[in-house]
Amino acid sequence: MSNQLIKRFFGGHPLRRMFSEFDKDLMNLMPMASSQSVGSFFSPPVDVKETDKEFIIQADVPGFNKDNIKCEIDEDRKMLKLSGEMKKEIEKKEENFLLQERISSSFMRNFDLPENADLKDVKCSLKDGQLELTIPKLQIEGKQSSKTRQIEIGE
């Protein structure tokens, strides 16, 4: 995989990466509202692969299902947006006590897509806590080769 692909998917500008890391650190420092509620915002780990015909993005989202995950393509900005929110309530009643917990978890990831990504035919699947998106490549005709040649310096 080329460095250019990695830069394209993960926001190649150094300031963008810096603020992304800052946002993640800030979310981790936020205190919980009370001991009765548990909430978390996380950034799911992803793998980005490139083949001759497509890009494949795999994200680990354990505990989520297709009803609480949103995958969107912003065609104007050539951006893929992944987000999800899960809320569960657990209640146990026994003779002398009541236990009630609320658990919530959410995530959001954005990816700038390469120019040759075909946004019309993106496929998405979820199996065993792994979200997989397949983005076909456009066939660009007349593509210039990236050959290097010596340029002679004149007097």
Side-chain angles (χ1 to χ4, degrees), residues 66-78:
K66 69 179 190 172
D67 295 328
N68 53 26
I69 295 176
K70 193 186 307 184
C71 299
E72 300 175 311
I73 296 276
D74 183 335
E75 291 185 19
D76 294 333
R77 295 172 60 200
K78 279 241 184 242

Side-chain angles (χ1 to χ4, degrees), residues 14-102:
L15 286 176
R16 182 182 225 175
R17 286 192 307 271
M18 182 180 75
F19 282 107
S20 175
E21 291 300 315
F22 173 77
D23 289 344
K24 189 169 33 172
D25 290 342
L26 184 63
M27 291 304 292
N28 289 335
L29 291 174
M30 295 179 87
M32 291 204 241
S34 74
S35 61
Q36 293 297 315
S37 66
V38 177
S40 67
F41 182 86
F42 75 103
S43 184
V46 297
D47 294 328
V48 179
K49 301 174 186 175
E50 180 180 10
T51 68
D52 291 339
K53 296 183 180 185
E54 61 196 8
F55 301 102
I56 300 167
I57 299 175
Q58 296 172 322
D60 293 336
V61 290
F64 286 82
N65 61 48
K66 69 179 190 172
D67 295 328
N68 53 26
I69 295 176
K70 193 186 307 184
C71 299
E72 300 175 311
I73 296 276
D74 183 335
E75 291 185 19
D76 294 333
R77 295 172 60 200
K78 279 241 184 242
M79 182 179 284
L80 169 67
K81 300 175 181 182
L82 302 178
S83 61
E85 186 173 8
M86 171 179 51
K87 294 182 179 183
K88 290 183 182 179
E89 288 194 24
I90 301 169
E91 185 176 306
K92 290 183 182 180
K93 291 183 182 180
E94 292 196 17
E95 190 174 318
N96 294 327
F97 74 92
L98 168 69
L99 172 66
Q100 205 169 13
E101 292 187 43
R102 288 165 201 81

Side-chain angles (χ1 to χ4, degrees), residues 9 53-57 71-75 78-82 113-114 116-125 131-138:
F9 271 98
K53 296 183 180 185
E54 61 196 8
F55 301 102
I56 300 167
I57 299 175
C71 299
E72 300 175 311
I73 296 276
D74 183 335
E75 291 185 19
K78 279 241 184 242
M79 182 179 284
L80 169 67
K81 300 175 181 182
L82 302 178
L113 298 171
N116 64 337
D118 182 358
L119 305 182
K120 303 289 185 206
D121 198 23
V122 177
K123 304 277 191 247
C124 185
S125 64
L131 184 69
E132 182 172 293
L133 290 105
T134 305
I135 306 164
K137 288 183 178 180
L138 292 170

